[in-house]
Amino acid sequence: MPSTTFRADAVLFDMDGTLTDSIAAVEAAWGAVAVDLGLDPAEVIAATHGKRAIDNLAFYRPEINPHEMDAAVEAFEQSILDFADSFQKREARRRNSGGSSAGFSMRAGLDLGESTPALSDTSAFSHRGSHSTSTPSSSFSSSDPSTGLRRPSFATRLSDLLTSAIPENFDVPVFDESPDINYVGNDAQKEPVEADIEAAWETEADSVDRSIRILPGVKDMIECIPDGRYAVATSGARTYAYGAMTCVGITPPPVTITADDKRLKAGKPAPDPFLLAASCLGFDAKHCVVFEDSPSGIRAGVASGATVIAVCTSHERSKIEGCGAHFVVEDMRSVRCATEGEGAGMKLVFTVEH
C-alpha cells in the first residue's frame, strides 16, 4: 500500500465522528426534537450533523431568547449523554429486577420544550424546514469498532418500526435514503398516525445501545503525541464534549475549543475553531494537522491552512472526497505518528497509508 510521510508541529482533532462515536445518541436526540416539532427526523438529522448546537437552535427554535441560549444548548447536549447512557441503565434495571423493562421510556426526564439541537454551524439552511443537500441515512451512520461495520441510522430503524406500527390501509411516509419525505394521507388519518409515529419513536429509542465509543486507532494516535502538541476543536458545547471524551477514557486536553467558547466568531465550516486551537497551542495552523470526519469540518480545516486528514468513520467516502482533504483514510489506523527532535524544535512525523 502506498504511503506519504510529512512533518507538522501539532495536531487539531475534531471530536464526534473523529475521536468518539456518539452519532447514534446524537441522532436519537435530534430524532426526538424532530418528532416534538412535527418535522421529518431524517431531514433534521441530515441538516444538523457536524454543526454547532447554538446555530441549529437559532434555526429550529427561533423563539429562544439570546439570554436563554446557553442553558438551552447545555440542556440539549446533556440529553445526548442521557441517550448514550440510557440503554445500559435500562439493562441494569432489567437485570436487577429479573424481568423486562417494559414501560421505561428514553424520553423520561427530557424536557424537549426547553432543549433542542446539537452539533451545528451557520450554513446549509436557506429557509426554515428546507431540505439539506446531504443525504440523511446513508451519509450518517456510526461505526462499530468491534466489527468495522456502520450501525444503521436512527431514521432507518424508525422507518422499519413505522411500517409495522401504522395500519395497512394508510399510505406510509417512509424514512428512506431520500431527504424528500412528505406527509401522505388525509386529515382524518393524521392524529392517529402522529400517535403511531410517537409510539414507534419510543419503541426504537428504548431498544438500541447508543453508548459512546472510542473510534479505531484513536487511543494509539493520542498516545504517540506529546502533551502540548494536540488540541480538540469541536462543534459540540462543553457539556457534551467533555462528557463524551471522558466517557471513553480520553482526558480532554488543556486546549479544548468547544462551540460555546465566547472567543469564537463563527463555527465550522469557518476555520475559526481550528485557528483558535492552533493559536492556543502556540503554533501556526498552517503547520498543523487536522483530523476530521464531516464535510463542514473538513472545509474548516482546509480553510485554516492545515493539512487535513479525513476519516471515513461517519460518512461514506464518496460524501467527503470532494471536500478538499489532503488525505482520506478509513480511520486513524491508517496513520502513524512519531516524533523527531526535542524541545521547541520537535516535529511530528506522520505516515499516511492511502
Side-chain angles (χ1 to χ4, degrees):
M1 180 177 292
S3 63
T4 300
T5 299
F6 63 93
R7 288 161 176 76
D9 289 333
V11 181
L12 312 175
F13 292 107
D14 171 53
M15 189 197 72
D16 198 27
T18 301
L19 298 178
T20 63
D21 172 13
S22 56
I23 290 176
V26 172
E27 285 190 346
W30 268 112
V33 169
V35 170
D36 191 59
L37 296 177
L39 302 174
D40 170 19
E43 185 175 318
V44 172
I45 289 167
T48 56
H49 184 79
K51 301 168 186 174
R52 297 190 304 172
I54 189 171
D55 299 322
N56 284 335
L57 278 167
F59 177 75
Y60 285 105
R61 296 290 301 278
E63 73 278 9
I64 297 176
N65 295 317
H67 69 276
E68 299 172 326
M69 187 61 75
D70 286 348
V73 170
E74 182 175 357
F76 176 75
E77 298 206 338
Q78 182 59 50
S79 79
I80 298 174
L81 299 176
D82 291 342
F83 272 106
D85 290 341
S86 289
F87 182 85
Q88 296 301 330
K89 290 179 180 177
R90 180 178 73 89
E91 289 301 298
R93 282 196 293 272
R94 190 175 184 173
R95 288 191 296 269
N96 291 337
S97 66
S100 71
S101 55
F104 172 72
S105 169
M106 290 186 67
R107 296 190 78 178
L110 289 183
D111 182 0
L112 294 178
E114 293 299 323
S115 59
T116 321
L119 300 175
S120 167
D121 163 44
T122 53
S123 63
F125 305 117
S126 58
H127 62 279
R128 178 170 176 136
S130 63
H131 295 305
S132 166
T133 55
S134 302
T135 303
S137 301
S138 61
S139 299
F140 310 109
S141 55
S142 52
S143 301
D144 184 341
S146 64
T147 63
L149 300 176
R150 289 186 174 89
R151 293 185 279 180
S153 72
F154 172 86
T156 298
R157 294 189 301 268
L158 180 59
S159 175
D160 291 341
L161 283 165
L162 282 172
T163 58
S164 61
I166 297 176
E168 292 183 2
N169 64 348
F170 185 80
D171 295 322
V172 180
V174 178
F175 300 138
D176 60 10
E177 306 301 325
S178 167
D180 298 320
I181 301 168
N182 298 307
Y183 171 78
V184 181
N186 58 48
D187 290 340
Q189 294 173 309
K190 187 173 182 180
E191 184 173 342
V193 169
E194 286 180 344
D196 283 332
I197 291 174
E198 181 82 7
W201 187 96
E202 292 277 4
T203 301
E204 197 282 336
D206 195 27
S207 62
V208 177
D209 184 358
R210 295 188 177 83
S211 301
I212 299 173
R213 307 171 185 182
I214 191 168
L215 285 163
V218 169
K219 183 175 182 290
D220 290 341
M221 177 60 65
I222 290 176
E223 289 178 348
C224 289
I225 306 171
D227 292 342
R229 293 296 186 118
Y230 68 95
V232 170
T234 175
S235 292
R238 184 181 179 87
T239 296
Y240 167 53
Y242 278 70
M245 285 189 280
T246 302
C247 185
V248 299
I250 297 174
T251 300
V255 178
T256 296
I257 307 301
T258 56
D260 47 356
D261 192 311
K262 300 306 181 185
R263 294 171 293 179
L264 291 175
K265 294 183 179 179
K268 303 171 187 178
D272 300 38
F274 291 125
L275 293 173
L276 178 58
S279 176
C280 289
L281 288 175
F283 298 104
D284 188 327
K286 294 179 181 178
H287 300 144
C288 293
V289 174
V290 163
F291 281 92
E292 260 287 359
D293 72 300
S294 71
S296 63
I298 293 168
R299 294 187 179 102
V302 172
S304 76
T307 298
V308 179
I309 301 176
V311 290
C312 301
T313 46
S314 66
H315 290 68
E316 295 178 1
R317 181 178 289 264
S318 62
K319 303 297 180 183
I320 60 177
E321 280 185 323
C323 296
H326 299 82
F327 303 97
V328 180
V329 299
E330 288 304 306
D331 55 51
M332 283 191 205
R333 291 176 293 187
S334 298
V335 185
R336 300 191 303 276
C337 178
T339 58
E340 180 180 87
E342 297 180 355
M346 177 189 292
K347 293 294 182 182
L348 304 179
V349 182
F350 288 90
T351 301
V352 183
E353 297 178 353
H354 53 88

